[in-house]
Amino acid sequence: MAETGRVLVVDDDETVRDVVRRYLEASGFTVDVAGDGVSGLRSFAEQPADVVVLDVMMPGINGLEVCRRLRQMSQVPVVLLTALGEEENRIAGLQLGADDYVTKPFSPRELALRVGSVLRRARMPAVAPVVDEAVDGNLRLQPGARQATLDGVELPLTAREFDLLMFFLAHPGAAFSRAELLEKVWGWDFGDQSTVTVHVRRLREKIERDPAKPARIATVWGVGYRYDPVSS
């Protein structure tokens, strides 16, 4: 089934731009390309895309700054292209609101599938929250308001961090593999499972008293993760 939608690819490598463009067009997308951050922002302002594929390491305005500026004007899904080993850049991108990342070298076919998955999830109609509030000791989530607080102080959670925490709170004591979390929270049946690892790490830094010795989000060795309520 062919995809529909407009994708903006921002990468300073002409070969990468051309390969990605051809694979996305073969999948049914309309594709715009830009060779640097300034051109990418200008292109998006003139013709908003449904998904932005964004290289992190570019001269001038790098991909992280482009992502930050995009988030000031839109909630368009962003998929980052990062080099293997650039963990800090991936974390920074996720903090800025990027939806996913793909590490170079990557499979253009997988990237096209990932873009399609991100777009389908973004187009899913909003589902009314099943509860007005979820509480675990000093941690409170209000799904309707998309707000989370710890000791009464609002937590700076990205959209995906909020979704993951809400899922954990809805399933206390149950262990989930990274693949299961990728499917149930991200809505993907494929992809880089380290995306889940990065989000869990970020959540621990925000809700745990000691992230190195988490009391809430436990690692279940050989399985994945489990949420242990502190108020039980």
Side-chain angles (χ1 to χ4, degrees), residues 60-175:
I61 300 178
N62 66 25
L64 296 180
E65 177 61 18
V66 174
C67 184
R68 186 186 69 80
R69 297 189 189 187
L70 283 172
R71 277 292 166 265
Q72 292 178 339
M73 66 177 84
S74 172
Q75 289 302 310
V76 61
V78 174
V79 178
L80 297 177
L81 301 179
T82 70
L84 189 65
E86 292 180 350
E87 183 182 11
E88 291 306 314
N89 282 334
R90 293 197 290 272
I91 292 173
L94 294 171
Q95 282 184 281
L96 289 169
D99 294 80
D100 194 17
Y101 62 84
V102 177
T103 55
K104 295 181 178 180
F106 58 87
S107 160
R109 181 175 178 273
E110 180 184 348
L111 176 60
L113 291 171
R114 194 83 64 90
V115 167
S117 180
V118 167
L119 182 56
R120 287 191 295 274
R121 182 173 177 82
R123 287 174 170 172
M124 289 175 60
V127 178
V130 295
V131 295
D132 293 330
E133 186 176 55
V135 180
D136 176 31
N138 60 346
L139 177 64
R140 293 174 179 268
L141 264 71
Q142 295 177 299
R146 300 287 294 181
Q147 184 180 54
T149 61
L150 185 69
D151 290 323
V153 178
E154 185 170 358
L155 292 170
L157 300 181
T158 65
R160 195 70 73 187
E161 288 169 354
F162 187 94
D163 290 341
L164 181 58
L165 182 55
M166 187 163 59
F167 181 84
F168 276 139
L169 282 171
H171 301 86

Side-chain angles (χ1 to χ4, degrees), residues 6-25 30-44 46-47 49 51-53 58:
R6 181 177 292 273
V7 182
L8 172 61
V9 178
V10 187
D11 196 302
D12 64 322
D13 188 320
E14 184 177 358
T15 300
V16 172
R17 292 199 306 272
D18 184 58
V19 170
V20 171
R21 176 185 58 77
R22 286 190 285 109
Y23 268 85
L24 290 174
E25 288 178 344
T30 299
V31 183
D32 300 318
V33 296
D36 58 70
V38 172
S39 299
L41 289 168
R42 183 185 305 117
S43 177
F44 186 84
E46 294 173 353
Q47 178 61 70
V51 180
V52 176
V53 176
M58 293 187 292

